[in-house]
């Protein structure tokens, strides 16, 4: 049985609620969700063959936190990983990658000296189409991205690479509509809540076993210059941007670790204002909404600064939810 | 002013879409004419400053000698006729290095970028397609989101100073829109218009002040224009124009076109 905690956007959700017979036919499940930050430094520090620049390492605390995710994904063998990325910004609606196969060179426009990655990925287009359909059903503006020459953004690639570097599981990527920056926080959060609900319905209807990824950094104030341009991985120069920003991150992570999702959602707007948190782009809200805003403790695997920003890797393991509560 | 010509142009891909809307057609035609005018005036190099090439760790300058390929916009990837936009830039690398050195000496954080596959922004590509047509060498300078009005003006004073005495006549092209209130849903391109009447009034007022070179008033109203109309990058273009000395009194500012692109305001303005 599907147990859904409805928040803002309830009215729209109700109209899209499945009938009992439809529920019977569904087998799709969200296995879990990850806060999966995407500083390109993480891929750079790892030196995978796909990435051209070479490094001496760096940011191990965060990179090794992703080992837990890699292990879980190998155990769970999901059908698909779905990522919502702030670096695919769209102004007209929520876009979904809907091309079976995409490959090319993705260069980070901010850190091109660190990230020049040859990507080659398989998209679960049936699920992508379903997310598109359900989003429109929810009253959202949505678009399918069907251009085979599309260059996938570095946020999507970094999160997916760090979660599953073998790329042997199909993916779906969803753009970050810029409504959080165009409208006020309430409208934006409502959009992302509805997008999350649409994503969940699509997963259920297509019978997928899915893992979700919110590709978000937490606090986002950062140094105005690279501390050591000669050696970007100089860890003697890496630190939190400010004590205030660090304390905000810890406050947010504490709420995540203790499963206080309602409280977390309540303080997110203030967190965004105080630390320019990247969660403003909506990825975390989308993911938590898709999972029914689960009041379960998230598992914490690591925290680290990247040019001063705060990044954490956490897992919401829905297989640990109480019976009846698994979406 | 050491730039021989300064242009302010929009940079949305609709400008390249055939017969999308009379406004887009008029804006694109004006940009083509601007390119012809620049060429006739002896311009041989164009420096682009696009609000769509954003940087956060200081300013970047494109330094790869040649950049060509096919561009797909992250939002307008399915726009009819312009879903794939071919581009071909010949970059004046020495010019980029010279600007970078001048900026670094003036204590700006700078970076030269020379990488295969570096994502050139849609605005620069659209502007170049309409203006250049293989006639000008190019340069590209990024728009640092943290540079405020004063710092942007100072930056362009430095850039202008660095081009003084240059043997190659150079134009600066600012790629920026005016009001930035996009339609957030799909529209029929034939029904495009400025999405808010008040934005339209504001755009016209700003253009009128520009043409009449009322820089004091422009300075006063710019913050309100920026916040009321979600102006593109807070209408940083004004600080650029001040930095290059566009209001020094020896130039003519002309509005060549004005119209809507997907609800936003766009204008083609020449300073010559
Ligand atoms: Fe980011």
């Amino acid at each position: 049985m599907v147990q859904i905690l409805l928040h803002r956007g309830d009215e729209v959700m109700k109209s899209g609620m499945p009938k009992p017979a439809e529920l019977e036919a569904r087998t799709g499940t969200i296995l879990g969700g990850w806060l999966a930050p995407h500083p390109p430094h993480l891929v750079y520090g790892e030196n995978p063959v796909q990435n051209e620049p070479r490094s001496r390492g760096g940011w191990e605390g965060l990179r090794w936190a992703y080992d837990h995710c890699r292990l879980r994904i190998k155990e769970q063998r999901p059908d698909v990983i779905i990522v919502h990325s702030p670096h695919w910004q769209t102004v007209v609606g929520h876009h979904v990658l809907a091309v079976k196969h995409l490959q090319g060179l993705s260069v980070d426009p901010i850190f091109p000296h660190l990230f020049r990655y040859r990507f080659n990925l398989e998209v679960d287009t049936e699920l992508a189409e379903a997310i598109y359909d359900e989003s429109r059903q929810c009253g959202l503006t949505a678009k399918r991205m069907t251009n085979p020459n599309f260059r996938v953004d570095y946020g999507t690639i970094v999160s997916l690479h760090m979660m599953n570097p073998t790329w042997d599981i199909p993916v779906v990527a969803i753009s970050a509509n810029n409504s959080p920056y165009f409208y006020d926080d309430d409208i934006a959060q409502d959009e992302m809540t509805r997008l999350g609900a649409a994503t969940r319905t699509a997963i259920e209807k297509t019978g997928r076993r899915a893992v979700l990824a919110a590709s978000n950094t937490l606090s986002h104030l950062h140094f105005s210059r690279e501390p050591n341009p000669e050696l970007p991985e100089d860890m003697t120069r890496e630190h939190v941007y400010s004590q205030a920003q660090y304390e905000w991150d810890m406050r947010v992570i504490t709420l995540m670790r203790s499963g206080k999702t309602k409280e977390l959602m309540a303080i997110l707007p203030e967190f965004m204002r105080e630390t320019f948190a990247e969660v403003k782009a909506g990825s975390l809200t989308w993911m938590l909404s898709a999972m029914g805003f689960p009041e379960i403790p998230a598992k914490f695997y690591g925290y680290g600064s990247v040019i001063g920003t705060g990044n954490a890797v956490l897992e919401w393991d829905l297989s640990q939810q109480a019976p009846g509560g698994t979406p | 002013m050491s730039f021989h010509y300064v242009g302010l142009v929009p940079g949305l891909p609709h400008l390249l879409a055939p017969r999308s809307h009379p406004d887009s057609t008029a804006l694109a035609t004006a940009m083509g004419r601007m390119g012809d005018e620049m060429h006739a005036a002896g311009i041989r190099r164009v420096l682009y400053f696009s609000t769509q090439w954003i940087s956060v760790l200081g300013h970047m300058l494109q330094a790869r000698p040649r950049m060509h390929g096919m561009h797909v916009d992250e939002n307008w990837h399915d726009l009819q006729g312009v879903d794939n936009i071919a581009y071909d830039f010949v970059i004046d690398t020495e010019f980029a290095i010279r600007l970078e050195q001048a900026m670094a000496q003036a204590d700006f954080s700078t970076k030269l970028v020379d990488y295969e596959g570096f994502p050139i922004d849609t605005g620069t590509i659209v502007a170049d397609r309409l203006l250049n047509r293989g006639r000008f060498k190019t340069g590209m300078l990024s728009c640092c989101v943290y540079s405020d009005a004063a710092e942007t003006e100072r930056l362009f004073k430095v850039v202008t100073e660095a081009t003084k005495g240059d043997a190659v006549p150079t134009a600066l092209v600012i790629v920026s829109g005016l009001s930035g209130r996009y339609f957030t849903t799909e529209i029929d391109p034939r029904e495009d218009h400025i999405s808010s009447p008040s934005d339209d009034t504001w755009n016209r007022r700003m253009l009128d002040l520009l043409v009449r070179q009322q820089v004091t008033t422009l300075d006063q109203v710019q913050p309100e224009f920026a916040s009321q109309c979600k102006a593109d990058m807070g209408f940083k273009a004004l600080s650029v124009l001040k930095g290059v000395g566009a209001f020094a009194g020896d130039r003519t500012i002309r509005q060549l076109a004005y119209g809507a692109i997907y609800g936003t305001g766009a204008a083609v303005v020449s300073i010559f």
Side-chain angles (χ1 to χ4, degrees), chain A residues 9-192:
Chain A
D10 284 5
E11 292 311 311
V12 177
M13 280 299 306
K14 280 175 197 158
S15 64
M17 290 294 281
K19 298 177 183 73
E22 283 178 351
L23 277 176
E24 287 300 310
R26 291 178 180 181
T27 54
T29 313
I30 297 174
L31 302 171
W34 291 80
L35 183 60
H38 57 246
H41 306 65
L42 305 185
V43 167
Y44 169 69
E46 187 175 293
N47 293 312
V49 291
Q50 297 101 320
N51 198 37
E52 193 186 321
R54 297 290 100 185
S55 73
R56 288 158 54 183
W59 303 278
E60 281 74 9
L62 273 170
R63 291 201 285 113
W64 295 345
Y66 268 108
D67 286 349
H68 296 274
C69 181
R70 293 176 180 186
L71 199 66
R72 283 294 283 152
I73 283 177
K74 290 284 174 259
E75 287 167 5
Q76 291 174 324
R77 298 303 307 167
D79 299 321
V80 62
I81 304 172
I82 312 174
V83 62
H84 185 281
S85 167
H87 295 283
W88 179 12
Q89 282 179 17
T90 51
V91 293
V92 184
H94 306 266
H95 298 209
V96 188
L97 282 193
V99 181
K100 191 85 200 129
H101 181 79
L102 284 162
Q103 67 181 76
L105 174 64
S106 185
V107 178
D108 178 352
I110 305 295
F111 297 102
H113 53 307
L114 306 185
F115 191 82
R116 303 190 297 279
Y117 190 100
R118 299 230 170 246
F119 64 92
N120 190 342
L121 55 85
E122 296 297 324
V123 176
D124 182 342
T125 49
E126 188 192 339
L127 177 59
E129 296 281 346
I131 292 172
Y132 163 77
D133 287 341
E134 294 301 326
S135 300
R136 288 171 70 100
Q137 287 276 322
C138 283
L140 295 170
T141 299
K143 244 184 195 187
R144 293 168 303 151
M145 203 307 295
T146 56
N147 189 326
N149 300 319
F150 189 74
R151 181 181 54 81
V152 180
D153 71 284
Y154 76 91
T156 295
I157 294 172
V158 171
S159 291
L160 290 172
H161 174 95
M162 294 309 292
M163 293 174 77
N164 182 38
T166 51
W167 293 90
D168 54 351
I169 295 166
V171 302
V172 170
I174 304 175
S175 78
N177 176 257
N178 83 335
S179 53
Y181 303 93
F182 204 77
Y183 298 116
D184 62 23
D185 286 336
D186 277 351
I187 292 176
Q189 294 301 311
D190 174 60
E191 285 250 334
M192 298 307 168

Side-chain angles (χ1 to χ4, degrees), chain A residues 88 91 95 149 182-183 225, chain B residues 74-75 77 84 107 184 230:
Chain A
W88 179 12
V91 293
H95 298 209
N149 300 319
F182 204 77
Y183 298 116
R225 294 173 186 230
Chain B
E74 61 182 354
N75 193 86
H77 42 75
N84 300 291
D107 203 31
T184 55
K230 297 183 185 291

Side-chain angles (χ1 to χ4, degrees), chain B residues 226-238:
Chain B
S227 66
Q228 293 284 316
C229 304
K230 297 183 185 291
D232 189 357
M233 261 317 146
F235 200 49
K236 197 179 266 197
L238 177 62

Side-chain angles (χ1 to χ4, degrees), chain B residues 80-247:
Chain B
Q80 211 179 358
V82 281
D83 47 353
N84 300 291
I85 310 174
Y87 63 89
D88 191 349
F89 290 92
V90 177
I91 313 288
D92 189 335
T93 306
E94 280 176 26
F95 178 59
I97 293 169
R98 190 144 41 88
L99 292 185
E100 194 268 341
Q101 285 169 346
M103 286 161 60
Q105 269 174 19
D107 203 31
F108 285 98
S109 173
T110 57
K111 193 185 268 289
L112 290 165
V113 291
D114 177 4
Y115 303 106
E116 179 200 349
F118 185 90
I120 300 175
D121 67 284
T122 301
T124 300
I125 290 171
V126 169
D128 193 70
R129 279 285 301 265
L130 290 166
L131 290 164
N132 195 337
R133 302 203 296 274
R135 294 178 288 191
F136 314 118
K137 283 191 161 191
T138 58
M140 300 173 203
L141 173 57
S142 75
C143 175
C144 177
V145 291
Y146 300 123
S147 267
D148 60 12
E151 190 176 283
T152 304
E153 187 177 337
R154 188 173 80 84
L155 171 72
F156 277 88
K157 281 194 170 125
V158 170
V159 168
T160 303
E161 196 59 35
T163 59
K164 273 191 182 149
D166 194 327
V168 182
T170 302
L172 172 72
V173 170
I174 306 161
V175 186
S176 169
L178 301 174
S179 62
R181 214 177 303 270
Y182 289 90
F183 291 112
T184 55
T185 55
E186 295 205 45
I187 61 160
D188 182 334
R190 291 167 300 183
E191 289 166 13
D192 201 352
H193 59 277
I194 306 284
S195 59
S196 137
S198 127
D199 286 0
D200 189 25
T201 306
W202 260 110
N203 290 334
R204 291 175 189 276
R205 182 181 176 199
M206 295 303 279
L207 287 169
D208 175 61
L209 290 168
L210 260 182
V211 170
R212 293 193 293 114
Q213 308 201 25
Q214 300 295 303
V215 68
T216 310
T217 314
L218 278 166
D219 265 341
Q220 284 165 355
V221 300
Q222 184 267 341
E224 198 184 345
F225 172 58
S227 66
Q228 293 284 316
C229 304
K230 297 183 185 291
D232 189 357
M233 261 317 146
F235 200 49
K236 197 179 266 197
L238 177 62
S239 307
V240 179
L241 290 173
K242 287 169 67 183
V244 300
F247 304 109

